[in-house]
Amino acid sequence: MGAVTEPGRIFALDTVRGVAVMGILAMNIVAFAMPFQAYNNPVAYGMEGTADLVSWLVSFIFIDGKMRGLFSFLFGASTLLVIERAKQSGASPARVHYARMLWLLVFGLLHFYFIWFGDILAGYALTGLILYFFRNLSIRALIIWGVGLVVVQFLLFAAIGAGAVYMSQAAAGPSPDPEMMRQWGEMQKGFAPLAGPALAAKLALFQGPYSGLVHLRLIEHGTNPLFGLLFFGWETLAYMLFGMAALKSGLFRGEWPPARYRRIALTGLLIAIPVYAVLAWLLIRSDFSVPMIFVLSIAATVPFRPVMVLAYAALIILVTRGGGRLVERIAAAGRAAFTNYLGTSILMTTLFYGYGLGLYGSLSRIELWLVVLAMWALMLLWSKPWLERFQYGPFEWLWRSLSRFELQPMRRRPAATATAAPAE
């Protein structure tokens, strides 16, 4: 049986969440610090030498999509846990769940429009509105639904990738259709390298005043939260269902024997890592052409990403089940994951954007790891001592209070730890 930090807490779940919230920054840092094209295409910006290429390679194989996937698994598990405990306490599970999702949507939209465009909370909240209807399914049914949704996501991205290949070939041929050329130009905008006036305008925007960024998100990209859900929501819902299955099966409770965790971790990594390595090699060989980014980076990774996410979850639980000082701090970071996620956005945008220190576009990929390590250290340093004094992280407390329509007790009382609530 996995260790429990206190009544009401599942140590394994907190620990995996801590790794996920730390790991997601390792990929998001590129989107914080550089033009977004660099997130999808390493040669678009910030590639100054071999060290930067190695940095991309490590991120692509071991981090990109996996930490987001792990976060989505955990969201599904935590949602089910909250629903179960609401039912046990006599509260309405539907009321508790939908209040949480609606307030999470508010947080997500505020995050997207006024802090950072890379928000995932709004998408999680909207997906969570659907997730409730899967709560009573069996483990087998949850897995079947999840696999089906992953297949839908793969087919969608494969179709987009095939379209990208077709348009690129047609555009390179004799007498290309002007409308198709326009569509191909639009399709490349998020992936092709920036140069000249386009690059200068992008850097000026993010190094400029706060008002320009808010205008961009509110006016030009106002529908992005919904648009992103239509394209990525299939996979997100699948991962949440896998997370529910992982909780029901005992995986996320730390209840499995070590040999089973070891087998899941080893099998998943042996399958996924070689595939990602081959895809990385093919991308490098193609000089990161935009059609191949669609095909290899976006579409071909879809079937293998959940395999690696599951392997990571098993590996993290396996190596941390013995506890220890570092593990306790990681688990504390997981208990305050909502605050750490939003706090990271606030600190990173202040560091890189023009209304703060204005470092946007000034660091290479390898240099960004120094920022990541510093932020990881901050998460580990503040989370544990804070939670020794208070029951929740600051944003966890706010979310919980809003969802329950009353202020929740914040300061920890030595004799009252048994009332601790599940993670939100």
Side-chain angles (χ1 to χ4, degrees):
M1 186 75 170
V4 179
T5 55
E6 59 185 54
R9 303 294 319 185
I10 299 176
F11 185 74
L13 201 61
D14 286 337
T15 306
V16 177
R17 189 184 294 107
V19 172
V21 76
M22 293 171 65
I24 203 168
L25 172 62
M27 198 64 208
N28 283 350
I29 190 66
V30 174
F32 280 121
M34 299 178 181
F36 186 69
Q37 287 80 355
Y39 186 94
N40 296 307
N41 184 352
V43 300
Y45 195 88
M47 184 70 77
E48 299 177 3
T50 302
D52 296 311
L53 179 61
V54 172
S55 178
W56 168 83
L57 188 64
V58 170
S59 296
F60 178 79
I61 296 175
F62 296 104
I63 302 170
D64 185 18
K66 292 81 169 177
M67 296 299 114
R68 174 178 54 83
L70 198 55
F71 224 48
S72 302
F73 270 54
L74 292 160
F75 187 87
S78 296
T79 296
L80 180 60
L81 200 59
V82 169
I83 291 171
E84 289 177 347
R85 289 177 175 170
K87 188 175 181 180
Q88 292 167 4
S89 69
S92 166
R95 189 198 67 79
V96 170
H97 173 74
Y98 283 104
R100 292 181 72 242
M101 293 303 103
L102 290 174
W103 280 111
L104 183 63
L105 178 60
V106 171
F107 277 109
L109 293 177
L110 290 174
H111 181 224
F112 174 82
Y113 291 123
F114 299 105
I115 300 175
W116 187 51
F117 69 89
D119 171 74
I120 61 173
L121 301 178
Y124 278 18
L126 292 171
T127 307
L129 300 178
I130 304 169
L131 185 63
Y132 182 80
F133 297 101
F134 294 87
R135 68 194 185 283
N136 294 325
L137 294 186
S138 66
I139 296 170
R140 182 174 182 272
L142 288 168
I143 293 173
I144 290 173
W145 270 97
V147 169
L149 289 166
V150 168
V151 170
V152 172
Q153 187 74 75
F154 172 70
L155 293 176
L156 174 62
F157 282 170
I160 294 173
V165 171
Y166 170 78
M167 284 193 286
S168 68
Q169 292 176 345
S175 304
D177 178 66
E179 175 59 21
M180 190 212 62
M181 287 288 291
R182 185 193 67 78
Q183 293 178 3
W184 176 230
E186 288 294 318
M187 198 172 188
Q188 293 186 81
K189 280 186 177 179
F191 302 88
L194 290 172
L199 176 58
K202 177 72 73 171
L203 294 177
L205 174 66
F206 283 87
Q207 292 172 352
Y210 178 69
S211 58
L213 294 170
V214 173
H215 180 273
L216 176 72
R217 299 178 201 130
L218 280 172
I219 306 303
E220 298 184 38
H221 297 161
T223 60
N224 276 21
L226 179 60
F227 181 78
L229 181 67
L230 295 175
F231 274 87
F232 300 99
W234 312 96
E235 184 180 50
T236 300
L237 180 57
Y239 289 178
M240 291 179 183
L241 297 180
F242 290 148
M244 283 185 163
L247 184 71
K248 290 189 175 188
S249 71
L251 185 154
F252 272 153
R253 298 181 188 272
E255 295 175 345
W256 289 7
R260 192 175 183 188
Y261 285 109
R262 192 177 301 114
R263 183 169 62 253
I264 293 292
L266 186 61
T267 302
L269 294 177
L270 287 177
I271 291 172
I273 290 177
V275 171
Y276 272 95
V278 169
L279 293 176
W281 175 73
L282 291 172
L283 282 166
I284 295 171
R285 189 180 179 188
S286 74
D287 293 325
F288 296 98
S289 71
V290 173
M292 287 301 98
I293 290 174
F294 275 105
V295 172
L296 300 173
S297 180
I298 296 178
T301 56
V302 172
F304 301 97
R305 187 158 42 241
V307 175
M308 199 158 179
V309 170
L310 181 62
Y312 274 171
L315 181 62
I316 293 164
I317 294 171
L318 180 67
V319 301
T320 61
R321 64 191 309 162
R325 292 183 178 179
L326 177 58
V327 174
E328 289 175 359
R329 287 188 174 273
I330 293 172
R335 288 173 58 194
F338 191 47
T339 297
N340 278 318
Y341 174 75
L342 291 175
T344 294
S345 290
I346 293 169
L347 290 177
M348 292 299 102
T349 52
T350 302
L351 177 66
F352 290 108
Y353 290 178
Y355 55 81
L357 297 184
L359 297 180
Y360 189 85
S362 64
L363 300 179
S364 67
R365 284 178 175 268
I366 196 66
E367 291 171 337
L368 290 177
W369 279 103
L370 297 175
V371 180
V372 171
L373 292 173
M375 191 64 212
W376 284 356
L378 181 59
M379 289 184 192
L380 295 175
L381 285 171
W382 86 269
S383 301
K384 187 173 184 291
W386 176 278
L387 291 170
E388 287 172 349
R389 294 167 177 80
F390 302 99
Q391 296 194 59
Y392 317 102
F395 282 113
E396 282 81 3
W397 172 82
L398 182 58
W399 184 18
R400 187 177 179 85
S401 296
L402 290 169
S403 299
R404 284 156 176 76
F405 302 102
E406 63 176 337
L407 294 178
Q408 299 295 297
M410 183 64 161
R411 187 170 292 277
R412 182 174 298 283
R413 297 189 300 273
T417 56
T419 62
E424 298 206 18

